[in-house]
């Protein structure tokens, strides 16, 4: 049917583009005039318009929650691909793997090292040799004491000043001695005189944490008007 | 920071030409912020488009991932002859077509599993607290009918109609996205709408009567 210079079939082919505003101005004017005069074509146009409205009112599809994370991972991969040579990328990957491997161990390792240092610094005196401790010039404390003279016999010494180191066992008894200095040559007489003086001499042993340990003392014999023994632990 | 210097704080739906250039430049420099902006801006539209071009929306996340992978890798090939959105849509449409071809070749058996956990369907986000439950039900029915009609449409016509009526692209952009002439775009949209109208013929009129009966009676 021809209305206002246009066939209905021609109008219906163009009505879709007409609704989108995608027809030239002159054609648009003719189409508008035809639609005003032709009820069938106007209804057709209205149906298209309604359908477009239905399509436009369709809700947007909501992406799944994990899609953003997946896309971020993709972005990260592409960024990594673009940086550096394959060799440096391989090296970075190895470094990253190592870092990830070491990270869980780092804290326990440092903790273990600190604990070891603390324990060693606390316990090392217990393992230190008693001899080394007693020979040292450390000031005696309640935990570590030097040997003390317990008793001695009557001293009859008149062979000049001499200094003697005594080795004591953990009971405080003399096990050995050595003459550090003596007047003139060490004669048999001097040796016998020192041994006689030491025969009845006994010591309180050196102690570490309350336990008797072997130790050493240095004593000096002095001859004069009155003989005496000086003891230094 | 370099990204701040080029001003990549793009919000809203519209993006100016200068902002788009800045975004593309930052993407070319592999800027993390630019990737994030691109994801935030185009994730939903691309997902929506891909969903409507595929018969099985369950495949859409994988396709969208492929689309973004291609966008990230080939951003250097973007010459600015069209808008960034058009360029991305073109990749999305091609990916959806490729998937459909693969799907048809392998004749995958479809099993109706319903809506999977975490996979929203088109009914999501339809609630409109301003409307009565009856009207909401009528709207829902209309939308389901339209979605079904779209699914039954020839894929080429469907792409043209979706890009025009749902994504609101103009004819020139649709021609670029589909890589066809302007005349072909007009033809496909017209034929697509015609086919849709035939599929929906009668159904929407029933729905219209239902809606009419739901109007409140006034004295």
């Amino acid at each position: 049917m021809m209305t206002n210079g246009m066939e209905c079939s021609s109008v219906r082919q163009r009505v879709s583009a007409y609704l989108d505003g995608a027809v030239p101005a002159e054609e648009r004017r003719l189409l508008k005039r035809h639609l005003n005069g032709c009820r069938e074509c106007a209804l057709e146009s209205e149906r298209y318009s309604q359908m477009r409205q239905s399509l436009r009112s369709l809700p947007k599809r909501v992406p799944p929650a994990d899609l953003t994370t997946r896309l971020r991972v993709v972005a990260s991969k592409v960024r990594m691909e673009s940086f550096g040579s394959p060799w440096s990328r391989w090296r970075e990957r190895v470094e990253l793997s190592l870092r990830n491997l070491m990270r869980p161990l780092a804290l326990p390792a440092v903790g273990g090292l600190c604990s070891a240092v603390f324990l060693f610094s606390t316990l090392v005196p217990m393992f230190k040799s008693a001899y080394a401790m007693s020979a040292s010039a450390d000031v005696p404390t309640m935990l570590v004491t030097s040997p003390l003279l317990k008793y001695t016999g009557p001293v009859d010494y008149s062979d000049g000043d001499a200094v003697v180191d005594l080795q004591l066992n953990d009971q405080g008894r003399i096990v050995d001695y050595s003459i550090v200095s003596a007047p003139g040559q060490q004669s048999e007489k001097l040796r016998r005189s020192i041994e006689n003086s030491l025969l009845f001499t006994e010591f309180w042993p050196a102690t570490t944490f309350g336990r008797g340990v072997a130790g050493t003392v240095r004593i000096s014999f002095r001859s004069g008007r009155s003989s005496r023994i000086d003891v230094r632990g | 920071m370099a990204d701040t210097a080029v001003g990549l704080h793009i919000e809203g739906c519209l993006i100016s030409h200068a902002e788009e250039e800045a975004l593309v430049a930052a993407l070319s420099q592999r800027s993390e912020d630019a990737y994030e902006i691109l994801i935030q801006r185009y994730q939903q539209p691309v997902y929506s488009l891909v969903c409507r071009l595929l018969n099985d929306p369950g495949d859409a996340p994988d396709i969208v991932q492929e689309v973004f992978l291609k966008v990230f890798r080939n951003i250097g090939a973007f010459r600015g002859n069209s808008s960034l959105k058009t360029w991305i849509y073109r990749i999305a449409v091609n990916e959806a077509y490729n998937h459909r071809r693969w799907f048809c070749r392998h004749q995958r058996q479809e099993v109706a599993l319903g809506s999977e956990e975490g996979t929203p369907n088109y009914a999501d986000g339809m609630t409109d607290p301003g409307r009565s439950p009856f009207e909401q039900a009528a709207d829902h029915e209309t939308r389901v009918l339209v979605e079904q009609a779209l699914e039954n449409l020839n894929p080429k016509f469907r792409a043209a109609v979706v890009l025009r009526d749902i994504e609101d692209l103009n004819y020139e952009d649709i021609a670029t996205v589909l890589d066809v002439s302007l005349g072909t775009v007009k033809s496909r949209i017209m034929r697509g709408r015609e086919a849709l109208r035939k599929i929906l013929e009668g159904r929407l009129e029933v729905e219209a009567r239902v809606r009419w009966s739901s109007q409140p009676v006034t004295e």
Side-chain angles (χ1 to χ4, degrees):
Chain A
M1 187 180 135
M2 177 79 102
T3 308
N4 293 326
M6 287 189 90
E7 285 281 350
C8 285
S9 58
S10 172
V11 169
R12 288 179 193 184
Q13 281 189 345
R14 287 171 172 76
V15 74
S16 170
Y18 168 75
L19 289 171
D20 289 329
V23 291
E26 178 61 21
E27 196 177 328
R28 183 176 181 78
R29 194 176 53 76
L30 287 173
L31 281 164
K32 193 174 181 182
R33 195 194 302 167
H34 180 96
L35 291 172
N36 284 337
C38 177
R39 188 170 180 276
E40 285 300 315
C41 288
L43 274 175
E44 185 78 2
S45 171
E46 183 56 34
R47 283 194 200 101
Y48 272 119
S49 187
Q50 195 181 2
M51 194 178 63
R52 283 175 70 221
Q53 195 53 44
S54 298
L55 286 167
R56 280 167 196 247
S57 65
L58 288 178
K60 291 188 180 302
R61 301 285 179 96
V62 182
D66 67 333
L67 185 59
T68 306
T69 309
R70 287 172 65 177
L71 296 181
R72 282 178 184 149
V73 170
V74 169
S76 178
K77 275 185 184 171
V78 173
R79 287 187 75 236
M80 286 301 294
E81 284 172 9
S82 64
F83 292 134
S85 62
W87 165 248
S88 64
R89 284 206 302 275
W90 181 83
R91 198 179 59 192
E92 280 173 12
R93 207 169 298 140
V94 170
E95 282 177 1
L96 182 68
S97 305
L98 272 175
R99 216 175 299 140
N100 289 342
L101 187 70
M102 295 305 288
R103 191 167 291 144
L105 300 177
L107 190 62
V110 171
L113 186 66
C114 290
S115 304
V117 168
F118 174 75
L119 284 172
F120 265 91
S121 61
T122 309
L123 299 178
V124 77
M126 296 194 71
F127 300 109
K128 200 172 171 185
S129 74
Y131 175 79
M133 288 182 65
S134 57
S136 69
D138 285 349
V139 177
T141 65
M142 285 185 71
L143 298 177
V144 180
T145 61
S146 55
L148 291 172
L149 184 64
K150 194 174 181 182
Y151 58 79
T152 182
V155 178
D156 181 20
Y157 181 79
S158 57
D159 296 321
D161 293 353
V163 177
V164 179
D165 275 352
L166 304 178
Q167 308 293 325
L168 309 177
N169 65 9
D170 56 357
Q171 306 293 320
R173 290 188 184 131
I174 299 164
V175 292
D176 197 7
Y177 74 92
S178 60
I179 299 169
V180 178
S181 68
Q185 287 192 331
Q186 296 180 19
S187 61
E188 187 61 30
K189 185 177 173 230
L190 171 69
R191 193 171 289 278
R192 198 177 305 115
S193 177
I194 288 173
E195 285 175 0
N196 283 338
S197 301
L198 296 177
L199 192 58
F200 299 104
T201 304
E202 200 164 321
F203 294 85
W204 296 107
T207 62
T208 301
F209 291 95
R211 289 176 56 205
V213 291
T216 183
V217 290
R218 173 166 289 183
I219 62 174
S220 60
F221 293 87
R222 292 183 184 176
S223 64
R225 215 162 10 161
S226 57
S227 298
R228 61 178 185 151
I229 299 174
D230 291 339
V231 179
R232 293 186 66 188
Chain B
M1 198 174 167
D3 298 335
T4 313
V6 294
L8 285 179
H9 300 290
I10 301 165
E11 300 291 339
C13 296
L14 294 174
I15 177 170
S16 74
H17 188 64
E19 285 172 331
E20 187 172 293
E21 279 184 353
L23 178 61
V24 172
L27 285 169
S28 302
Q29 292 165 6
R30 311 290 185 192
S31 156
E32 194 174 354
D33 288 355
Y35 284 145
E36 184 63 27
I37 289 171
L38 195 82
I39 290 169
Q40 293 300 331
R41 280 191 56 78
Y42 291 108
Q43 178 191 186
Q44 196 281 324
V46 170
Y47 178 80
S48 197
L49 174 64
V50 170
C51 271
R52 293 204 159 94
L53 297 182
L54 297 176
N55 283 336
D56 182 4
D59 294 334
D62 293 339
I63 306 296
V64 173
Q65 188 174 322
E66 278 302 309
V67 170
F68 274 85
L69 182 64
K70 289 197 169 170
V71 169
F72 293 150
R73 279 190 176 149
N74 301 307
I75 191 68
F78 176 68
R79 300 285 169 228
N81 297 329
S82 63
S83 71
L84 184 61
K85 179 181 176 181
T86 307
W87 185 69
I88 293 173
Y89 274 24
R90 183 171 179 172
I91 294 173
V93 168
N94 286 338
E95 280 300 311
Y97 278 169
N98 289 341
H99 180 78
R100 283 183 66 88
R101 271 202 292 273
W102 180 91
F103 183 85
C104 292
R105 256 204 318 273
H106 291 79
Q107 290 291 309
R108 200 171 72 173
Q109 295 293 313
E110 290 193 25
V111 180
L113 294 172
S115 180
E116 288 181 9
E117 184 75 19
T119 308
N121 57 31
Y122 51 80
D124 291 344
M126 280 184 175
T127 49
D128 179 0
R131 298 174 67 80
S132 71
F134 191 87
E135 287 169 326
Q136 285 180 36
D139 280 351
H140 176 77
E141 194 178 344
T142 305
R143 285 165 184 164
V144 170
L145 286 174
V146 173
E147 293 275 9
Q148 284 174 348
L150 265 178
E151 281 179 16
N152 291 327
L153 214 55
N154 177 301
K156 287 185 176 176
F157 299 161
R158 188 201 302 187
V161 170
V162 166
L163 289 169
R164 175 64 201 137
D165 288 333
I166 299 177
E167 298 300 328
D168 204 25
L169 263 60
N170 61 36
Y171 279 42
E172 287 78 11
D173 284 345
I174 297 171
T176 307
V177 170
L178 300 179
D179 198 21
V180 294
S181 69
L182 209 56
T184 307
V185 171
K186 279 185 189 177
S187 167
R188 285 188 185 177
I189 291 174
M190 192 267 288
R191 292 173 69 184
R193 283 174 176 165
E194 177 66 21
L196 261 183
R197 195 182 63 79
K198 280 182 181 165
I199 295 170
L200 291 170
E201 211 164 35
R203 298 185 186 179
L204 285 181
E205 286 170 11
V206 171
E207 191 274 331
R209 282 202 300 276
V210 169
R211 181 168 288 181
W212 174 84
S213 65
S214 73
Q215 298 299 309
V217 179
T218 52
E219 295 296 332

